[in-house]
């Protein structure tokens, strides 16, 4: 499973990249707004931090303007992945860009039928929103299961990028289902390393070591 971080906070990205666990980054207009910085500036800096795909989202709603925005975005760096919405115009743009060899992340996916269309359009990644699906009375993890089954049935190359993950259980269940990628906020990724018994064990080891009066350095 690949780990992407969902943020526009470059300090957080650098911290996670230093662990060697980070495979890519996803951003969106909301995250850019929270950063308080210029969109192009942030994307360029992120692309210099990680080697993997960095999703940069178009904001136009029509195909023609999406293509113009994508042309600008993919000039930022070789690892830019163009993010398009799951609409007819977005799928048309996806097809055109992937035919040119550009990585495309189709976002705002809330049904397996939508995911099927994205795969047919040649998407590099499909981003089903697990947590937001749950918020509206649906089963977000079931959505991941359905997409996995369909993609396996037809050997689609599109990678399932499970998004809107709110806690470690979401990550665990997506891994069990077989999502190719997860993207989550920095806090959720950091929580994966936490366990009360690990903390208690370290406390015990530290106390016993102090009693020996020894030092390694």
């Amino acid at each position: 499973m690949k780990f992407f971080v969902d943020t526009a906070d470059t300090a957080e990205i650098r911290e996670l990249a230093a662990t060697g666990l980070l495979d890519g980054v996803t951003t969106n207009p909301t995250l850019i707004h929270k950063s308080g910085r210029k969109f192009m500036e942030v994307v360029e800096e992120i692309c210099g931090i990680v080697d993997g795909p960095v999703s940069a989202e178009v904001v136009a709603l029509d195909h023609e303007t999406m293509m113009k925005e994508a042309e600008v975005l993919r000039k930022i760096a070789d690892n830019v992945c163009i993010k398009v919405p799951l609409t007819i115009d977005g799928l048309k743009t996806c097809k055109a860009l992937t035919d040119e060899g550009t990585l495309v992340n189709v976002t705002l996916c809330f049904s397996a039928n939508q995911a099927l269309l994205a795969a047919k359009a040649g998407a590099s990644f499909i981003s089903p929103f697990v947590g937001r699906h749950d918020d509206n009375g649906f089963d977000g993890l079931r959505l991941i299961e359905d997409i996995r089954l369909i993609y396996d049935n037809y050997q689609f190359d599109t990678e399932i990028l499970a998004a809107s993950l709110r806690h470690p259980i979401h990550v665990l269940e997506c891994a069990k289902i077989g999502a190719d990628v997860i993207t989550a906020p920095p806090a959720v990724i950091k929580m994966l390393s936490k366990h009360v018994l690990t903390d208690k064990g370290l406390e015990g080891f530290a106390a016993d070591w102090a009693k020996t009066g020894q030092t390694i350095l």
Side-chain angles (χ1 to χ4, degrees):
M1 175 183 273
K2 297 174 186 175
F3 274 36
F4 290 4
V5 64
D6 195 36
T7 186
D9 185 327
T10 54
E12 292 272 22
I13 294 169
R14 289 183 189 280
E15 181 183 355
L16 285 170
T19 67
L21 299 173
L22 198 58
D23 299 296
V25 177
T26 55
T27 67
N28 60 48
T30 300
L31 293 172
I32 296 294
H33 174 67
K34 288 180 179 178
S35 76
R37 298 176 58 193
K38 297 288 187 181
F39 173 58
M40 300 291 284
E41 173 188 289
V42 174
V43 173
E44 183 176 8
E45 183 176 350
I46 294 172
C47 287
I49 299 172
V50 299
D51 296 326
V54 176
S55 288
E57 190 165 346
V58 299
V59 294
L61 299 179
D62 65 285
H63 167 65
E64 183 178 348
T65 312
M66 284 184 194
M67 290 298 295
K68 291 178 181 178
E69 291 179 350
E71 184 61 28
V72 173
L73 294 175
R74 61 184 175 177
K75 288 179 180 178
I76 295 174
D78 291 339
N79 56 331
V80 165
C81 176
I82 304 300
K83 202 173 184 183
V84 301
L86 216 159
T87 62
I88 291 298
D89 281 87
L91 292 170
K92 185 177 180 180
T93 302
C94 173
K95 176 62 176 173
L97 291 173
T98 53
D99 282 351
E100 295 174 1
T102 299
L103 291 176
V104 178
N105 177 1
V106 179
T107 190
L108 292 172
C109 173
F110 293 97
S111 79
N113 280 336
Q114 289 179 318
L116 175 58
L117 293 179
K120 293 282 288 181
S124 310
F125 304 99
I126 181 67
S127 290
F129 280 33
V130 175
R132 199 176 298 185
H133 210 57
D134 290 347
D135 291 344
N136 287 274
F138 301 97
D139 187 340
L141 292 171
R142 175 62 185 272
L143 174 60
I144 304 297
E145 290 177 350
D146 288 345
I147 298 171
R148 179 76 279 160
L149 176 61
I150 292 169
Y151 281 13
D152 289 348
N153 280 349
Y154 299 101
Q155 288 80 55
F156 286 122
D157 293 328
T158 301
E159 295 187 53
I160 301 172
L161 197 171
S164 187
L165 304 185
R166 306 282 175 75
H167 45 71
I169 297 300
H170 273 160
V171 178
L172 173 62
E173 293 302 320
C174 284
K176 288 161 66 177
I177 293 166
D180 301 287
V181 192
I182 63 97
T183 188
V188 172
I189 293 176
K190 292 174 184 178
M191 285 170 65
L192 298 177
S193 69
K194 298 294 185 181
H195 197 286
V196 62
L197 294 181
T198 301
D199 294 340
K200 290 184 68 175
L202 285 172
E203 290 175 7
F205 289 158
D208 289 339
W209 179 250
K211 292 173 185 176
T212 70
Q214 301 178 54
T215 180
I216 294 176
L217 299 179

